[in-house]
Amino acid sequence: MLRSLLLLPLLALSACVIPNSRSNTVVVTDTKSVVEKCQKLGELEGASPLGKVLLRDQARDAALARLKAGGAELGATHVESSVADVKWKGPSTAGTAYKCGT
C-alpha cells in the first residue's frame, strides 16, 4: 500500500508535458480551412494517461499541451484537432500536424 502511495506522484508527473519555445509556437485549431493549403506531417494523439481522472478543463489543457509538443517534434506550425474548440467535451484527443507557410 505504501508503495502505491509513493508511486502516485511519479505517475502524475509522467502525465505532464513541459512546454518549450518550439511547442509554444504551434497553433492548435479546430478549423480545417486554416490548414487546407498546408503540408500534412502526421497524426498525433493528445491523450494523457490520467485523462480519465482529470477534470474536463484539465484534460483539455493536457491534451492541448501534448498536441503542441507532438507537433513541435514533427516540425509543425499547426495542429488541427477538435480539442481546440473551447466547448470540447471529449473523448477524442487526436490531431493532425501540419507545416504551413514557407
Side-chain angles (χ1 to χ4, degrees):
M1 176 69 176
L2 182 59
R3 271 189 162 164
S4 299
L5 291 175
L6 294 174
L7 292 176
L8 189 59
L10 290 176
L11 180 63
L13 287 175
S14 70
C16 298
V17 174
I18 299 173
N20 59 40
S21 60
R22 285 186 10 214
S23 66
N24 285 336
T25 62
V26 176
V27 175
V28 182
T29 181
D30 63 337
T31 307
K32 188 70 173 168
S33 63
V34 171
V35 295
E36 66 185 7
K37 295 182 180 177
C38 303
Q39 176 189 4
K40 183 178 176 179
L41 299 177
E43 300 297 320
L44 301 169
E45 181 54 56
S48 167
L50 296 178
K52 303 265 189 236
V53 296
L54 293 175
L55 297 174
R56 187 174 294 135
D57 289 342
Q58 292 170 331
R60 181 176 178 267
D61 290 345
L64 285 170
R66 286 180 174 281
L67 290 170
K68 285 183 165 203
E73 286 178 19
L74 292 177
T77 57
H78 291 71
V79 173
E80 189 264 322
S81 174
S82 63
V83 178
D85 185 351
V86 294
K87 296 176 186 170
W88 176 82
K89 303 279 190 235
S92 175
T93 57
T96 306
Y98 293 89
K99 185 168 187 164
C100 302
T102 52

